[in-house]
Amino acid sequence: MVGLVVVSHSSTAADGIAEVAGEMGGETRIEAVGGDGQGGFGTVADDIETAIEDADGGDGVVVLVDLGSAVMNAEVAIEMSDAEAVIADAPVLEGAVNAAVAATSGKSTVESVREQAEAARGVEKL
């Protein structure tokens, strides 16, 4: 099964987004990672790498990020990791929910899950 990692500058935001996605994701492994490791805002590549490794069930990982340095640190974490992992260019909450639903399919791949996460860019709320 494809796993998910939610990266936010806020650990509270990452936890909440992962919780919402988890409601739709069944047995999908969803890891939340956020903050600077010292209780502040930011992201840490080593923490993201650990989350990628924890989320990988053998079929790869899709990483959803909030903004700025989260992208850079996720890229570094992916390079450090042995897992197959990609970043989805998607809104983090809506993308995480779409990805979680897509990951429940026995036929899901990293690319199919990323595509569904990225499809959330076009979702209108009104």
Side-chain angles (χ1 to χ4, degrees), residues 10-79:
S10 163
S11 61
T12 303
D15 290 341
I17 292 165
E19 179 182 11
V20 171
E23 288 294 315
M24 304 299 289
E27 299 298 316
T28 302
R29 293 181 184 189
I30 303 174
E31 295 292 325
V33 60
D36 67 359
Q38 299 175 11
F41 290 100
T43 60
V44 178
D46 289 336
D47 294 345
I48 299 168
E49 179 193 12
T50 299
I52 290 170
E53 298 294 333
D54 290 347
D56 186 23
D59 293 324
V61 176
V62 174
V63 181
L64 295 112
V65 297
D66 59 4
L67 49 92
S69 64
V71 175
M72 178 187 67
N73 282 325
E75 290 172 339
V76 170
I78 288 169
E79 288 178 21

